[in-house]
Amino acid sequence: MVRLLTAGIVSAALITLGIPATTAVAAPSTCFGIRATFTAAGTLTGTPGRDVIVGCAGADVIDGRGGNDLI
């Protein structure tokens, strides 16, 4: 009973102090160190301008559509 009460007091103190909870965030996808303009799976179609396209682990079909793309 004492441990449960202690845990409750510590939890309440942390919440009251406003200690932020941490959340996991995935790192952005990159190609040669440049952040991807879009990431997807399946059939990907770029734009006439410069794109940084990152596919997925499966079989992707990527059409850069011109520009100075990184795929």
Side-chain angles (χ1 to χ4, degrees):
M1 178 69 177
V2 172
R3 285 187 180 179
L4 180 60
L5 181 60
T6 303
I9 291 170
V10 170
S11 297
L14 291 175
I15 291 170
T16 304
L17 291 173
I19 296 174
T22 58
T23 57
V25 177
S29 296
T30 61
C31 182
F32 295 106
I34 299 174
R35 192 174 192 160
T37 53
F38 63 93
T39 303
T43 302
L44 300 127
T45 305
T47 65
R50 183 166 196 231
D51 299 308
V52 180
I53 302 170
V54 177
C56 292
D60 297 317
V61 176
I62 300 174
D63 180 1
R65 290 268 169 123
N68 187 17
D69 300 325
L70 291 174
I71 299 176

